[in-house]
Amino acid sequence: MRFEGMEVGFDIPALPGMDAADVVTPCLIVDLDALERNIRKLGDYVRENGMRLRVHGKMHKSVDVAKLQIEIGGARGVCCQKVSEAEAFARGGIPDILVSNEVRNPVMIDRLAALPKLGPSVSVCVDELANVVELSAAAERHGTELGVLVEVDCGGGRCGVETPGAAVEIARAVVDAGGLRFEGVQAYQGAMQHLETWEARREKLEAAIAITRGVVDALTAAGLPPDVVTGGGTGSYPFETQSGLYTELQCGSYAFMDADYGRIRGANGERIDAGEWENALFVLSAVMSHVKPHQAVVDAGLKVMTFESGLPLVFGRDDVSYRGASDEHGVVDDPGGVLKVGDRLRLVPGHCDPTCNLHDWYVGLRGGKVECVWPVSARGKAW
Amino acid sequence: MRFEGMEVGFDIPALPGMDAADVVTPCLIVDLDALERNIRKLGDYVRENGMRLRVHGKMHKSVDVAKLQIEIGGARGVCCQKVSEAEAFARGGIPDILVSNEVRNPVMIDRLAALPKLGPSVSVCVDELANVVELSAAAERHGTELGVLVEVDCGGGRCGVETPGAAVEIARAVVDAGGLRFEGVQAYQGAMQHLETWEARREKLEAAIAITRGVVDALTAAGLPPDVVTGGGTGSYPFETQSGLYTELQCGSYAFMDADYGRIRGANGERIDAGEWENALFVLSAVMSHVKPHQAVVDAGLKVMTFESGLPLVFGRDDVSYRGASDEHGVVDDPGGVLKVGDRLRLVPGHCDPTCNLHDWYVGLRGGKVECVWPVSARGKAW
């Protein structure tokens, strides 16, 4: 255990070169080998299937992970959900950024329109006609160009136009507006990604594809054929790929995985964390109290993981299990009394995206050593 | 809506002096009048009842709120749950800090022992004998003194000694160890704070007080009478106060309130957010899409609130309600179709502590203007 460099106020849980055993807990750790295998695997898939890949940066919120996905994983750029996230990626040098969401706050529309001046190609989604006027005025004010995709509600029940006619009306307004470039259609069905069985997901995706096809056909008939039809997540990307309709995938969670995604099943009934994707992200936690013989208390609770998608799994162990959380504590069942104070557990968080949003740093491990410490570049960037 | 000062990369949602209507959403806002009334009210209570107040800083994680609680609210200092939180409060000038939790990581024990050199009185909890040796060695290494409280499990089922004998053994070791000062007993029953009825909470607290009394009696009989018996939260403080046993309260949520605490009932059956404490903390959110006639989508989801204690309430309105969240969106039922894009809602988060931990800034409002922007000083400080 080294103390030098880790004095009062050093708010980073590790230093490069440190033994993995000396990393301060709790913190987020990344198994770099597993991460790279996941990233290369999806890169191979999109190449073999002639798709484009725009990874979802809102999952990891990290410029460093996004760069790895571009360099070794076939990604053309990122999507994200907020202008402030897009700013973090733009400042980090990511060349192609889609805000896969509507932007309606005037300050943030202005900042979105300014962003191409930093270098990247920038696009955004629209689901109401009035937004076209707002975006066009801002882009013209800054002398920039924004790509625009019409968002279609293909079953998620959240944002997005509900009719092909509304999509055509918006696309035509975009084509006629200054400072905007009509790119195509955003159709992401988020609500089905975590349905457990392959068949249940396939059914939802077929409905989504049918809705999206109706919009694409209407746009084409109106002389506005979309260059881009984008969507698809870790729970659905084979369906979008096979559709013959989508041109681009937006997978995010495949790179890190989490406990909730791990539970879903592939085409042959196998868990997707049992072969398709590896767990590369963990909350590293340590036992901090073990007064009761069959219960350990660990240092990882609500402050370092979110629980809206369920409890974390204890990676690689079936002798202990995480039973419940309070803000700074986790209660771990230890029926055999095998744990002792200081013992470390790798927890697979229930839901990776909001868990990453709690942390400032990823500690990258390889071969028992800390290889890198990456900032969570877009953490907390909510507007 | 002002743009100047709010350009690309300005990652603060407001500027002092700005109209409240121009604050960028989503963000945390604080009603400063309500906050000050809550703080003064508990200050009056502890003074009238001869108790000491050590506010729980882990709730707000803010040096500025802690200072207000000391200046106008009768607090002697703060407690918090992590050494890195204690560092943030020490560096902010808070004079008296208790880490109301066990510290077992060697690096963080070292940093805890170094902290008195920054000025404050620093104390910590212990529930296993081996920890006394670790703390003593670190304090002697730094030439400092740490206060020590024996933590008692008084019903929470988490950390803490389970027998009076174990408490006496630890207290005696503390008295005999260099660099440590025996202060007393930590007995906080967290598991009961949110039970809805006064009677249910009273029953749990009576059991907690009986356990704690057994420990205090054993320490006194062993010639180690505790100066401090500390505990009590927003859901229980009248019981600890009336016990004649506790000397100090550790309330936190009273200052801000939240939806989950708001649901609990006082002695006369009234909700505690209906008179006892005011809602002072809100997630300010705006409508970002309203394609469907009876559903609005707002810009506040899992990235700005946590949901393990339930959904947020829409403050001051009964015509719309928050139905569900995804990472960056909230779906709001709008049966009358009264909302339009850009409309703002004040959301009372389900659970204030982990919600504050998602944000970097509190925007303090008074009289329709931004009066201050405070950092969430100890946000993310998890070790």
Side-chain angles (χ1 to χ4, degrees), chain B residues 54 78-80 96-100 123-124 149 186 230 250:
Chain B
R54 179 186 291 285
V78 304
C79 41
C80 56
D96 195 333
I97 303 167
L98 164 63
V99 177
S100 45
S123 305
V124 67
L149 294 103
Q186 161 84 17
T230 185
Q250 297 181 344

Side-chain angles (χ1 to χ4, degrees), chain B residues 24-255:
Chain B
V24 172
T25 62
C27 71
L28 279 186
I29 59 172
V30 175
D31 176 335
L32 294 171
D33 289 328
L35 173 66
E36 289 175 7
R37 283 191 294 268
N38 287 340
I39 288 175
R40 288 185 201 279
K41 188 173 189 176
L42 187 62
D44 291 345
Y45 177 89
V46 296
R47 200 162 30 246
E48 286 160 14
N49 286 278
M51 297 293 280
R52 291 204 298 193
L53 175 60
R54 179 186 291 285
V55 290
H56 225 314
K58 71 152 211 161
M59 187 282 282
H60 50 63
K61 303 167 177 68
S62 158
V63 168
D64 297 277
V65 177
K67 285 186 165 171
L68 203 58
Q69 291 172 306
I70 291 170
E71 284 162 19
I72 69 168
R76 65 177 302 201
V78 304
C79 41
C80 56
Q81 295 289 91
K82 296 288 183 169
V83 176
S84 53
E85 289 178 328
E87 290 176 352
F89 285 116
R91 292 150 89 189
I94 302 302
D96 195 333
I97 303 167
L98 164 63
V99 177
S100 45
N101 201 1
E102 285 67 30
V103 180
R104 302 306 297 270
N105 179 285
V107 169
M108 299 319 292
I109 289 172
D110 189 74
R111 282 162 65 157
L112 179 75
L115 215 47
K117 294 192 270 192
L118 297 189
S121 170
V122 176
S123 305
V124 67
C125 294
V126 166
D127 70 358
E128 290 186 63
L129 203 57
N131 198 15
V132 176
V133 180
E134 299 162 346
L135 292 166
S136 171
E140 293 198 318
R141 189 161 64 242
H142 284 285
T144 55
E145 188 178 78
L146 294 172
V148 174
L149 294 103
V150 179
E151 181 166 9
V152 178
D153 180 357
C154 58
R158 210 168 53 185
C159 302
V161 299
E162 296 203 287
T163 64
V168 169
E169 189 180 30
I170 289 170
R172 186 164 287 136
V174 170
V175 168
D176 291 343
L180 304 182
R181 172 180 79 242
F182 176 62
E183 291 189 340
V185 172
Q186 161 84 17
Y188 175 75
Q189 220 291 25
M192 56 61 68
Q193 298 289 337
H194 293 256
L195 296 177
E196 192 176 297
T197 71
W198 175 269
E199 275 308 313
R201 297 203 305 284
R202 189 166 67 87
E203 191 180 310
K204 290 286 187 191
L205 238 296
E206 283 178 359
I209 290 166
I211 292 169
T212 307
R213 198 180 300 279
V215 170
V216 170
D217 289 349
L219 288 166
T220 305
L224 301 159
D227 284 338
V228 178
V229 181
T230 185
T234 300
S236 73
Y237 69 95
F239 307 120
E240 282 91 350
T241 301
Q242 290 153 20
S243 69
L245 180 72
Y246 281 76
T247 65
E248 186 177 272
L249 300 175
Q250 297 181 344
C251 304
S253 301
Y254 79 100

Side-chain angles (χ1 to χ4, degrees), chain A residues 3-56:
Chain A
F3 295 163
E4 61 278 22
M6 301 291 283
E7 285 87 359
V8 168
F10 185 73
D11 285 331
I12 306 180
L15 292 167
M18 185 181 255
D19 283 345
D22 288 344
V23 171
V24 172
T25 63
C27 72
L28 279 186
I29 59 172
V30 174
D31 176 335
L32 294 171
D33 289 327
L35 173 67
E36 289 174 6
R37 283 191 292 267
N38 288 339
I39 289 175
R40 287 184 203 277
K41 188 172 190 177
L42 187 62
D44 291 344
Y45 177 89
V46 297
R47 201 163 27 245
E48 286 159 15
N49 286 277
M51 297 293 281
R52 291 205 297 193
L53 174 62
R54 179 186 290 285
V55 290
H56 225 314

Side-chain angles (χ1 to χ4, degrees), chain A residues 6 58 85 101 111 127-128 153 157-158 288-290 292 295 303 326-327 329 360 379 381, chain B residues 6 58 85 101 111 127 153 157-158 288-290 292 295 303 326-327 329 360 379 381:
Chain A
M6 301 291 283
K58 71 152 213 161
E85 289 178 327
N101 201 0
R111 282 162 65 159
D127 70 358
E128 291 186 63
D153 180 355
R158 209 168 56 185
M288 52 172 287
S289 173
H290 204 320
K292 298 168 182 43
Q295 173 187 298
K303 198 164 181 179
S326 45
D327 291 9
H329 299 90
D360 293 296
R379 188 214 62 73
K381 308 238 174 290
Chain B
M6 301 290 283
K58 71 152 211 161
E85 289 178 328
N101 201 1
R111 282 162 65 157
D127 70 358
D153 180 357
R158 210 168 53 185
M288 53 172 287
S289 174
H290 204 320
K292 298 168 181 43
Q295 174 187 299
K303 199 165 180 180
S326 45
D327 290 8
H329 300 89
D360 292 296
R379 188 213 62 75
K381 307 240 175 290

Side-chain angles (χ1 to χ4, degrees), chain A residues 342-366:
Chain A
D343 282 357
R344 284 157 180 243
L345 300 175
R346 289 187 172 202
L347 306 176
V348 180
H351 187 183
C352 53
D353 306 41
T355 293
C356 296
N357 191 46
L358 294 167
H359 294 263
D360 293 296
W361 304 99
Y362 292 113
V363 177
L365 300 179
R366 192 172 344 240

Side-chain angles (χ1 to χ4, degrees), chain A residues 8 11 34 37 130-131 133 187 190 201 278 289 340:
Chain A
V8 168
D11 285 331
R37 283 191 292 267
N131 197 15
V133 180
R201 297 202 304 284
E278 297 179 55
S289 173
K340 58 184 194 304

Side-chain angles (χ1 to χ4, degrees), chain B residues 198-366:
Chain B
W198 175 269
E199 275 308 313
R201 297 203 305 284
R202 189 166 67 87
E203 191 180 310
K204 290 286 187 191
L205 238 296
E206 283 178 359
I209 290 166
I211 292 169
T212 307
R213 198 180 300 279
V215 170
V216 170
D217 289 349
L219 288 166
T220 305
L224 301 159
D227 284 338
V228 178
V229 181
T230 185
T234 300
S236 73
Y237 69 95
F239 307 120
E240 282 91 350
T241 301
Q242 290 153 20
S243 69
L245 180 72
Y246 281 76
T247 65
E248 186 177 272
L249 300 175
Q250 297 181 344
C251 304
S253 301
Y254 79 100
F256 280 171
M257 283 306 294
D258 60 30
D260 195 43
Y261 252 128
R263 279 183 274 271
I264 74 169
R265 307 287 166 156
N268 302 313
E270 74 289 1
R271 284 175 65 118
I272 73 161
D273 61 1
E276 187 170 355
W277 306 113
E278 297 179 54
N279 288 114
L281 177 82
F282 309 93
V283 173
L284 184 65
S285 177
V287 177
M288 53 172 287
S289 174
H290 204 320
V291 174
K292 298 168 181 43
H294 305 300
Q295 174 187 299
V297 181
V298 297
D299 56 7
L302 295 172
K303 199 165 180 180
V304 293
M305 290 178 285
T306 69
F307 288 79
E308 76 289 337
S309 296
L311 293 171
L313 301 174
V314 183
F315 187 70
R317 298 192 65 148
D318 51 17
D319 55 342
V320 298
S321 58
Y322 192 103
R323 171 156 51 89
S326 45
D327 290 8
E328 292 87 5
H329 300 89
V331 173
V332 170
D333 284 326
D334 178 15
V338 297
L339 294 174
K340 57 185 193 305
V341 168
D343 283 357
R344 285 156 178 245
L345 300 175
R346 288 187 174 204
L347 305 176
V348 180
H351 187 184
C352 52
D353 307 41
T355 293
C356 295
N357 190 47
L358 294 167
H359 294 263
D360 292 296
W361 303 99
Y362 292 114
V363 177
L365 300 179
R366 192 170 348 236

